[in-house]
Amino acid sequence: MDLFFLGTGAGMPAKLRNVTSIALKLLEERGAIWLFDCGEATQHQILHTSIKPRRIEKIFITHLHGDHLYGLPGLLSSRSFQGGESEVTIYGPKGIKEYIHLSLSISQSYLKYPINVIEIEEGIIFEDDQFIVEAGLLDHGIPSYGYRVVEKDKPGTLLAEKLKAAGVKPGPIFKKIKNGERVVLEDGRVIEPEEFLGPPQRGRIVTILGDTRVCENALKLAKNADILVHEATFSKGEEHLAFKYFHSTTKQAAEIALQADCKKLCLTHISSRYERNAWQELVQEAAETFPNTLIAEDFKEIHIPSK
Ligand SMILES: [Zn+2]
Ligand SMILES: [Zn+2]
């Protein structure tokens, strides 16, 4: 599981930072990529990476501001020509359906694969046997969502030698125990799975927030996250501006990470007012409050290790 930053700038594209898009690479987990936001030229950014658009399974749009959205019709259209045949599910606030429908139909773009567009509300928006995704409304002038991706815990590894020593022969029973099922042997003995499994592998939590002021829901969505991706449009000391424009500062992002007991904080949505030589200073401002902070850069990849 890795986070790959395709665009990390605020508002409009800049030379060093394109507008927002983040790929959550779940290649080992499910052979898929989940995209969070799709600012203009996201598909151009992808050309410089090993990401295959046909692998994109889900796209989560945080909010409908252009710097998070204008790359979507182009990306969807090109995916048809890049061997994309599998369905793509797109989640986003109310209006996303109309935006996609209108931009594709007016330009007479026909996709060679089905899309499923879901206008979300707060709560659990997706769940399968591997992941749960929860959405919460933030504070940004227009509806802006944060997404909390929770990987489900996996049962521990099977202690096969211990089972053999207990006289259980390998076979379908092993699989049942591995899946956490209680098994009654032919001789009447009961095998409790937890006695023959290693410690469960804890799932990871990744929280990616849309643009926002400091708010209660940011804290809730970020609780115990292995990584929190939080916007930091302004530097410390500019809280009044952040409030006025519905954004956050570096320090405010760090306070959320601290209060939520996150493991790591990644600042993104960085204004082009801050040139490259100021980036480390932005990290420093946050690190005073939350030491394990880093700043996103276009094409930066962050590995999220299993626990
Ligand atoms: Zn933005
Ligand atoms: Zn915005």
Side-chain angles (χ1 to χ4, degrees):
M1 188 189 274
D2 304 274
L3 271 181
F4 191 96
F5 289 87
L6 290 160
T8 60
M12 54 185 182
K15 278 187 190 160
L16 296 180
R17 293 185 183 273
N18 196 44
V19 281
T20 298
S21 183
I22 304 165
L24 178 62
K25 294 165 83 173
L26 302 170
L27 297 173
E28 266 173 45
E29 291 75 11
R30 58 199 288 138
I33 294 193
W34 291 2
L35 208 61
F36 292 80
D37 285 335
C38 192
E40 194 176 344
T42 293
Q43 61 168 321
H44 301 62
Q45 298 288 88
I46 288 177
L47 290 176
H48 301 289
T49 72
S50 61
I51 292 171
K52 303 267 176 293
R54 63 184 157 82
R55 290 238 188 244
I56 297 172
E57 181 200 10
K58 294 177 181 296
I59 302 175
F60 300 87
I61 300 295
T62 61
H63 65 301
L64 302 183
H65 277 155
D67 59 322
H68 299 253
L69 183 64
Y70 287 165
L72 189 55
L75 176 88
L76 292 175
S77 302
S78 299
R79 188 177 181 271
S80 273
F81 300 102
Q82 292 158 329
E85 287 170 356
S86 56
E87 182 176 83
V88 175
T89 304
I90 302 154
Y91 304 84
K94 191 170 166 33
I96 186 74
K97 226 176 214 169
E98 191 183 4
Y99 175 77
I100 293 171
H101 176 72
L102 274 180
S103 45
L104 292 180
S105 65
I106 288 173
S107 59
Q108 300 206 13
S109 307
Y110 302 100
L111 306 182
K112 292 181 195 153
Y113 56 89
I115 55 170
N116 177 20
V117 186
I118 298 175
E119 296 193 333
I120 58 167
E121 287 176 11
E122 287 189 291
I124 291 172
I125 56 163
F126 170 72
E127 179 167 8
D128 67 2
D129 55 359
Q130 264 188 318
F131 287 97
I132 302 179
V133 183
E134 193 185 338
L137 265 178
L138 305 169
D139 182 7
H140 188 52
I142 67 168
S144 177
Y145 283 93
Y147 294 105
R148 175 180 171 90
V149 179
V150 180
E151 183 186 31
K152 292 186 176 174
D153 295 345
K154 286 189 217 112
T157 46
L158 189 72
L159 306 176
E161 291 308 317
K162 191 174 172 187
L163 273 172
K164 283 183 208 158
V168 184
K169 293 200 182 72
I173 288 180
F174 271 41
K175 194 163 184 209
K176 283 189 180 163
I177 298 167
K178 167 88 182 134
N179 291 337
E181 283 177 53
R182 196 161 180 256
V183 172
V184 183
L185 301 177
E186 277 174 10
D187 61 11
R189 279 189 295 150
V190 176
I191 299 286
E192 299 290 351
E194 46 282 6
E195 288 173 30
F196 295 93
L197 290 173
Q201 200 186 16
R202 301 294 305 276
R204 290 157 282 189
I205 301 172
V206 177
T207 300
I208 299 172
L209 303 182
D211 294 1
T212 188
R213 284 174 177 163
V214 175
C215 67
E216 200 55 41
N217 262 353
L219 195 61
K220 263 172 70 182
L221 292 165
K223 193 76 201 155
N224 296 324
D226 291 77
I227 184 162
L228 166 64
V229 179
H230 198 299
E231 71 130 286
T233 313
F234 292 96
S235 65
K236 180 184 155 190
E238 296 192 299
E239 281 71 25
H240 60 292
L241 282 178
F243 186 83
K244 188 173 168 195
Y245 295 107
F246 294 91
H247 286 294
S248 304
T249 67
T250 50
K251 186 171 166 56
Q252 288 173 326
E255 279 162 356
I256 294 286
L258 180 72
Q259 288 168 37
D261 283 321
C262 298
K263 286 216 178 79
K264 191 179 271 192
L265 168 66
C266 184
L267 305 173
T268 190
H269 204 265
I270 308 297
S271 163
S272 57
R273 296 189 297 148
Y274 306 109
E275 289 174 19
R276 190 196 284 271
N277 56 15
W279 295 350
Q280 212 40 48
E281 212 170 299
L282 296 175
V283 173
Q284 225 26 64
E285 291 172 6
E288 284 166 16
T289 302
F290 186 82
N292 198 8
T293 298
L294 38 89
I295 191 166
E297 287 175 37
D298 288 19
F299 306 113
K300 186 181 234 174
E301 184 164 79
I302 300 174
H303 180 61
I304 306 155
S306 354
K307 295 191 233 181

